[in-house]
Amino acid sequence: MGGTSVAALRGVSLAMKAGDFTAIMGPSGCGKSTLLQLCGAMDRADSGSLRLDGRDIASLNDNDLTRLRRERIGFVFQFFNLLPTLSVLENIAMPLLLARQPEGQAFDKARALAARVGIEHRLDHMPAQISGGEAQRAALARAVIHEPALLIADEPTGSLDSSNGQLVLQLFQELNRDLGIAILMATHDQSVAAIASRTIRMKDGLMIDSN
Ligand SMILES: Nc1ncnc2c1ncn2[C@@H]1O[C@H](COP(=O)(O)OP(=O)(O)O)[C@@H](O)[C@H]1O
Ligand SMILES: [Mg+2]
């Protein structure tokens, strides 16, 4: 940053298998989001190695990285990040449309998934017209519609009240169990981390504890 270099991560090692559910905990600024962005191939590390499906991500060019993200990774963010000018249905179907699946097929799948997360009555709404809990359920449906190997979630309940947070977490658990999608979730809330099968604690860019 400017003339100062900030070491966001100073040494992390993590392995996940299909179907794992791992929570990353630690205080603000410890490097959780940076780690998630690297694992999601949204950022490049200065050093170290990162493999997904046995492929070295660092060696991929931008086109291959884009395809990898589109096909193998799903993202859920704290503030939902739905596209404001698209309907809820279009938002959920977007990963399949980007992958050039036929529209009818993409929208059918989006409707089925919307029913599963309980927002089938909001499909024609715009993101600004639905509640935070509904928006996050739509974002979750969008994140898994292409059946990614890895779902990355950065503080996914951080802007929800506790009952909506619980509902969203329950859906994470179901999708992890039923679809076998590996989940890597950052949170600073112990009760959120408790639903994961494993918790890794970070401090100052380092992993300090894992169970
Ligand atoms: N783009 C950036 N430029 C400079 N420093 C950054 C940037 N992104 C993150 N950092 C710094 O890296 C560290 C880790 O940040 P982050 O991964 O966002 O932590 P967390 O998600 O755990 O709150 C913090 O000290 C933060 O200020
Ligand atoms: Mg963060």
Side-chain angles (χ1 to χ4, degrees):
M1 205 179 154
T4 322
S5 101
V6 178
L9 291 176
R10 298 187 293 136
V12 290
S13 180
L14 168 67
M16 287 184 72
K17 298 194 298 289
D20 279 357
F21 192 162
T22 301
I24 307 279
M25 288 201 72
S28 181
C30 72
K32 301 183 295 298
S33 294
T34 304
L35 177 63
L36 263 49
Q37 277 158 26
L38 291 174
C39 291
M42 287 193 284
D43 202 352
R44 288 180 189 271
D46 299 298
S47 63
S49 74
L50 183 67
R51 304 177 75 82
L52 182 69
D53 296 336
R55 286 162 83 196
D56 181 8
I57 290 185
S59 67
L60 299 181
N61 63 32
D62 284 344
N63 281 342
D64 289 342
L65 274 181
T66 302
R67 183 163 339 117
L68 179 88
R69 277 195 299 270
R70 205 177 268 174
E71 292 175 358
R72 303 296 288 157
I73 302 172
F75 296 97
V76 175
F77 305 93
Q78 179 175 354
F79 297 106
F80 328 130
N81 293 22
L82 295 173
L83 295 170
T85 57
L86 299 181
S87 69
V88 170
L89 177 68
E90 290 164 338
N91 265 283
I92 296 174
M94 188 46 64
L96 299 184
L97 299 174
L98 287 172
R100 300 183 197 289
Q101 275 202 24
E103 274 194 15
Q105 209 174 301
F107 288 136
D108 282 349
K109 192 154 187 206
R111 281 189 201 94
L113 210 48
R116 180 161 187 168
V117 300
I119 48 159
E120 64 275 28
H121 55 305
R122 293 284 184 257
L123 288 174
D124 296 330
H125 287 58
M126 303 304 280
Q129 300 170 323
I130 60 176
S131 72
E134 288 169 338
Q136 196 60 307
R137 282 182 276 152
L140 183 52
R142 175 184 62 180
V144 299
I145 194 167
H146 57 307
E147 293 168 25
L150 175 64
L151 174 58
I152 290 181
D154 198 350
E155 310 268 5
T157 60
S159 55
L160 300 179
D161 60 48
S162 64
S163 68
N164 273 303
Q166 282 305 318
L167 207 66
V168 165
L169 285 178
Q170 216 175 315
L171 290 168
F172 270 95
Q173 228 166 2
E174 284 176 25
L175 294 167
N176 171 245
R177 190 189 53 215
D178 300 347
L179 305 180
I181 298 175
I183 300 179
L184 182 59
M185 175 187 288
T187 179
H188 54 255
D189 183 338
Q190 181 64 58
S191 67
V192 172
I195 69 152
S197 43
R198 173 182 175 207
T199 300
I200 291 169
R201 285 175 198 285
M202 290 182 63
K203 194 181 172 207
D204 298 334
L206 294 170
M207 286 180 177
I208 54 170
D209 187 29
S210 164
N211 66 41

